[in-house]
Amino acid sequence: MNITIINGPNLNLLGIREPGIYGNEGFESFLTRLRNKYSDITIEYFQSNHEGDIIDKLHEAGFGKTDGIVLNAGAYTHTSLAIADAIAAINTPVIEVHISNVHSREEIRHRSMISGVCRGVIAGFGLDSYRLAIEAFVK
């Protein structure tokens, strides 16, 4: 099985950005633990602060290159019809994830432009949200 994790803007700052919301662990160390836990799964990782790069990666991964996409689009979740259109256009299922509980934060974060075209949504479990998404694909 192959899983692609795509992280959007500012998620390259995990571990140093607002640790009260996002925790103290950087994504690279978490990714190492995740790959060790799921050693029988190939987990590809991509992060970009640029909307078009995220769309390009969705297109690249979304036509049979991977079995599932775990997407944390960051703030683009709430603003990007273009990312929603890209998800709708591809064949590979996408699970939307968020580290924080977006519904307990600012009102603008309560609405997702991408949820309706994703297989499901996992939010509020810290970095463990990614593991839960992988578990959903495994089952």
Side-chain angles (χ1 to χ4, degrees):
M1 174 175 265
N2 297 310
I3 301 290
T4 299
I5 297 173
I6 301 174
N7 272 345
N10 300 309
L11 292 167
N12 57 308
L13 299 177
L14 288 174
I16 57 174
R17 173 190 178 206
E18 300 175 271
I21 296 173
Y22 300 104
N24 294 312
E25 185 174 11
F27 199 80
E28 291 299 330
S29 65
F30 172 73
L31 184 60
T32 298
R33 289 191 301 113
L34 202 59
R35 285 176 172 152
N36 288 338
K37 179 174 179 58
Y38 297 99
S39 58
D40 56 333
I41 298 174
T42 300
I43 300 174
E44 181 182 348
Y45 176 60
F46 177 80
Q47 188 278 327
S48 180
N49 294 316
H50 305 282
E51 184 178 30
D53 292 344
I54 294 166
I55 292 167
D56 289 344
K57 189 63 172 182
L58 286 165
H59 291 173
E60 176 190 320
F63 291 101
K65 183 178 181 221
T66 192
D67 299 303
I69 297 171
V70 177
L71 173 62
N72 184 340
Y76 288 135
T77 299
H78 319 290
T79 63
S80 182
L81 184 57
I83 290 176
D85 286 348
I87 295 166
I90 62 176
N91 297 329
T92 302
V94 176
I95 295 177
E96 175 186 346
V97 300
H98 299 283
I99 296 167
S100 68
N101 177 354
V102 293
H103 299 287
S104 69
R105 297 184 63 196
E106 307 92 334
E107 189 172 332
I108 194 167
R109 296 182 194 271
H110 298 182
R111 178 169 160 78
S112 170
M113 297 290 288
I114 66 174
S115 293
V117 291
C118 289
R119 175 177 281 179
V121 180
I122 300 170
F125 294 96
L127 291 175
D128 204 39
S129 295
Y130 295 89
R131 182 193 61 79
L132 293 168
I134 290 172
E135 286 290 327
F137 282 125
V138 169
K139 293 180 183 192

